[in-house]
Amino acid sequence: MKILVPVKRVVDYNVKVRVKSDQTGVDIANVKMSMNPFDEIAVEEAVRLKEKGVATEIIAVSCGVAACQETLRTALAIGADRAVLVETDVELQPLAVAKLLKALMDKEGAGFAIVGKQAIDDDANQTGQMLAALAGMPQATFASKVEIADGKAKVTREVDGGLEVVSMSLPAVITTDLRLNEPRYVTLPNIMKAKKKPLDTVKPADLGVDVAPRLKTLKVSEPPGRKAGIKVADVATLVDKLKNEAKVI
């Protein structure tokens, strides 16, 4: 069984994001970029499944500019077998990415997709669900444990009330939560091996997918600064301010 794992190039989580002066987006000039953390977890889970003999091949996919090859090389160093870059300068939105992934799953004959539950840049949490809908596959989101046996996937999900365990037939789509695993440290020998692994480049048109944006960003702005706190003389004053000024009680 082939496993498809999408990986996204995002601003590194340690970097403080700055908004452009014209408020058209986020400034990424000379900013450190890295693989989306949830996608890194997805790659690690795919590698573990292959090590258990569940998967035969892991295909890492990234959609975006040519610089996404760096992210794909990281996925190859973790343990993916080969990579595909869907190269485009268009700002991709979740639906477009889901359509590209669906086309690649059909082309590669992949029977499983492990997707990070969300990207830390837009926090959309949509691509995995859209992919499952387009492909007509069962899905399990926010997975904290995955077990594959007898052509079925048993997935433990994190929900508001605790944990939920679902069982579904394959092919399927799973989105990863933070506690699914701890990604392995990428060693120098594996980085060197990753340079020799195949990395193919295709265009959206080659897959027959229209990636034109459906949504338009009107403005991007920083959150308002936090106001300074004040000290109150007694509990009665505190209750009065909470009730009449903050209006939270």
Side-chain angles (χ1 to χ4, degrees):
M1 179 177 66
K2 294 182 181 180
I3 299 181
L4 194 77
V5 185
V7 295
K8 187 176 183 180
R9 179 175 179 264
V10 299
V11 175
D12 189 87
Y13 66 91
N14 287 312
V15 174
K16 179 175 172 56
V17 176
R18 300 187 305 272
V19 175
K20 292 181 180 178
S21 57
D22 59 2
Q23 295 187 317
T24 57
V26 172
D27 185 8
I28 60 173
N30 301 315
V31 171
K32 181 184 178 183
M33 308 292 283
S34 61
M35 186 189 299
N36 178 50
F38 291 104
D39 297 344
E40 193 173 1
I41 292 170
V43 177
E44 173 65 26
E45 190 64 22
V47 173
R48 293 187 184 188
L49 289 174
K50 185 182 178 184
E51 290 172 345
K52 293 176 182 176
V54 174
T56 55
E57 186 178 32
I58 301 168
I59 307 168
V61 181
S62 192
C63 306
V65 297
C68 292
Q69 291 184 36
E70 300 173 11
T71 308
L72 288 170
R73 290 296 178 193
T74 301
L76 292 170
I78 295 173
D81 297 295
R82 58 189 178 92
V84 178
L85 170 63
V86 184
E87 187 176 358
T88 176
D89 293 328
V90 176
E91 183 180 349
L92 296 173
Q93 295 172 351
L95 180 59
V97 175
K99 289 180 178 179
L100 292 170
L101 296 177
K102 162 66 166 57
L104 279 171
M105 287 193 75
D106 291 342
K107 180 180 178 181
E108 297 288 349
F112 200 22
I114 304 181
V115 188
K117 72 170 184 177
Q118 65 194 77
I120 61 173
D121 52 1
D122 58 16
D123 276 334
N125 183 22
Q126 295 176 345
T127 304
Q129 292 90 325
M130 288 178 170
L131 172 59
L134 291 171
M137 295 180 181
Q139 61 175 300
T141 55
F142 315 137
S144 60
K145 185 178 180 181
V146 177
E147 300 172 88
I148 308 292
D150 301 324
K152 290 190 175 183
K154 182 180 177 182
V155 181
T156 303
R157 302 181 60 239
E158 295 196 355
V159 295
D160 291 340
L163 299 176
E164 177 184 59
V165 180
V166 297
S167 178
M168 57 187 184
S169 58
L170 299 177
V173 176
I174 290 177
T175 71
T176 63
D177 211 336
L178 191 63
R179 282 157 290 279
L180 178 58
N181 61 51
E182 180 72 28
R184 67 194 64 190
Y185 177 76
V186 179
T187 61
L188 181 59
N190 286 337
I191 293 174
M192 300 307 293
K193 290 177 184 177
K195 294 181 179 181
K196 298 180 180 179
K197 291 183 179 180
L199 194 162
D200 300 323
T201 301
V202 298
K203 301 289 185 181
D206 299 334
L207 300 172
V209 177
D210 176 17
V211 295
R214 265 63 174 179
L215 304 174
K216 180 180 179 181
T217 301
L218 301 179
K219 184 176 71 171
V220 177
S221 59
E222 294 185 3
R226 185 174 179 180
K227 295 180 180 179
I230 61 171
K231 292 183 178 180
V232 295
D234 50 41
V235 174
T237 306
L238 173 61
V239 172
D240 178 68
K241 288 186 176 296
L242 290 174
K243 183 175 182 180
N244 299 314
E245 292 185 18
K247 298 188 184 301
V248 294
I249 59 174

